[in-house]
Each structure stands twice: as structure tokens, then as C-alpha cells.
Amino acid sequence: MIVVNLDVTKMKNLFLLFVLISNVNFSQTKEETIEWLNLKLESYGDNSFMGTYQVEIKDDSDWGEILVFTKKSWNPLLEKSTYDYYSFLPRVISAVNLSGKNRTNNTLDIFIISNSKSIYVHKEEEFISEIGIHMKNGHNEMTERIQKGFIHLLKLMGNEINPKKDFFKD
């Protein structure tokens, strides 16, 4: 029988090393994060009125990786779908905030905000400073998780931003 005698310090260091290694191995890739975001946006985005949302990464020969955000809306008067395409470089995003400013029922929405008018709107051929993602009522916890997913994706793409703290909550 072999007896191993490790002191407490060595055990703590070994445990810490194990925790660090396990965190590195379980971080989602860009592709996995995009897939998760699209799945959650389909399930929890307010697609009944505001449309459906989708995010993807495109490689541009001049700019490198860009994010393309698509919003598909159904127009009952015209009986057809309309598409809005937004594209931006990950580094121009300064915040991914939660807000219920457009709602009266305390439902959180997500706002992707650029540091200037740096989000290109393909339909209007102009630049804007924010994209609003309207969420279904009663899913604020999932909305917070989706916000963290966007922040994680931006971090994976080289833009590490910190979410705005709610001093009354955090």
C-alpha cells in the first residue's frame, strides 16, 4: 500500500490548478455561442410583434470578422416578410445593456450600443448607434442570460466589455 503525504498548501494548489483547467475546457467557442444565442432569440425574442432575430459572423476581406444581425418581421397589411440587416465590427460595441424603457410591463429588452454611429443598416444605407432586441414578457432571467451571451461573444471576438451594473440590484 502506498501512502501519499501532501500538505494542505500543496492540496490547495492542486485543487486550484484543477479548477483553472476545467474552466478553460468548458468555455464556449464563437460558433457554439452563436448557435446558443440564435436558439434563445428564437425562443425568447418577442417574435409575435417585433420579428425574429438571428446573429451570424461573416468574414469580410477588408475588415475581417464582422457581426451580422438580422431581424425578420411579418407585415400583416402587405402579407409579406421584411428583413432588416445590421452589420458591425465587434470592437465598435461599447455596451450590451438591459432596459425596459420601451415597455410598460417591466419586461427587459436588450440594447447593443456602439461607441458612435458605427452599426450599418443595409436597408437605409446609414449608420446608427444601437440595436434593440425586444423580448417576450415574463422571461427577464433568460434575457439577462442572453445579454451575457452577447458579451461573451464580443469577448471571444476581441472586445471585452463589462455589463452596466444596476446599483439597486447588484
Side-chain angles (χ1 to χ4, degrees):
M1 184 168 157
I2 299 175
V3 176
V4 178
N5 188 9
L6 293 174
D7 65 5
V8 175
T9 305
K10 287 181 182 177
M11 289 295 286
K12 285 181 182 178
N13 289 341
L14 202 61
F15 178 74
L16 182 61
L17 180 64
F18 176 74
V19 168
L20 288 173
I21 290 172
S22 66
N23 281 342
V24 169
N25 290 336
F26 294 114
S27 180
Q28 287 185 324
T29 65
K30 285 185 270 191
E31 294 77 16
E32 291 169 331
T33 304
I34 289 280
E35 184 179 329
W36 184 87
L37 282 169
N38 286 330
L39 197 87
K40 298 305 176 192
L41 287 171
E42 182 180 331
S43 298
Y44 297 99
D46 187 4
N47 52 20
S48 62
F49 175 67
M50 298 309 295
T52 57
Y53 306 99
Q54 183 179 358
V55 182
E56 61 184 313
I57 298 173
K58 297 267 185 162
D59 258 331
D60 183 273
S61 59
D62 295 326
W63 298 99
E65 285 186 328
I66 60 172
L67 280 166
V68 177
F69 189 81
T70 306
K71 178 182 170 187
K72 176 185 171 187
S73 303
W74 171 254
N75 186 330
L77 296 174
L78 299 175
E79 294 186 0
K80 71 175 190 172
S81 295
T82 59
Y83 294 86
D84 295 320
Y85 298 97
Y86 307 90
S87 60
F88 52 90
L89 294 168
R91 70 175 177 263
V92 303
I93 302 303
S94 59
V96 180
N97 292 338
L98 296 175
S99 174
K101 70 181 182 182
N102 294 332
R103 301 291 192 92
T104 57
N105 60 5
N106 294 324
T107 297
L108 293 175
D109 292 323
I110 300 171
F111 290 88
I112 299 171
I113 302 168
S114 71
N115 47 18
S116 62
K117 289 188 173 189
S118 304
I119 300 171
Y120 184 68
V121 184
H122 294 261
K123 192 164 138 184
E124 280 94 34
E125 296 185 357
E126 67 179 4
F127 288 91
I128 60 172
S129 59
E130 73 177 36
I131 301 171
I133 305 169
H134 301 285
M135 306 303 289
K136 287 182 182 174
N137 298 342
H139 297 284
N140 287 347
E141 187 175 309
M142 182 54 70
T143 301
E144 291 173 355
R145 289 184 62 203
I146 294 170
Q147 174 206 24
K148 289 177 184 175
F150 275 113
I151 291 170
H152 178 70
L153 178 62
L154 291 169
K155 180 180 179 181
L156 291 173
M157 297 181 82
N159 182 2
E160 190 164 349
I161 60 174
N162 296 311
K164 187 172 84 173
K165 295 283 186 185
D166 182 352
F167 294 108
F168 298 105
K169 182 179 175 191
D170 295 335

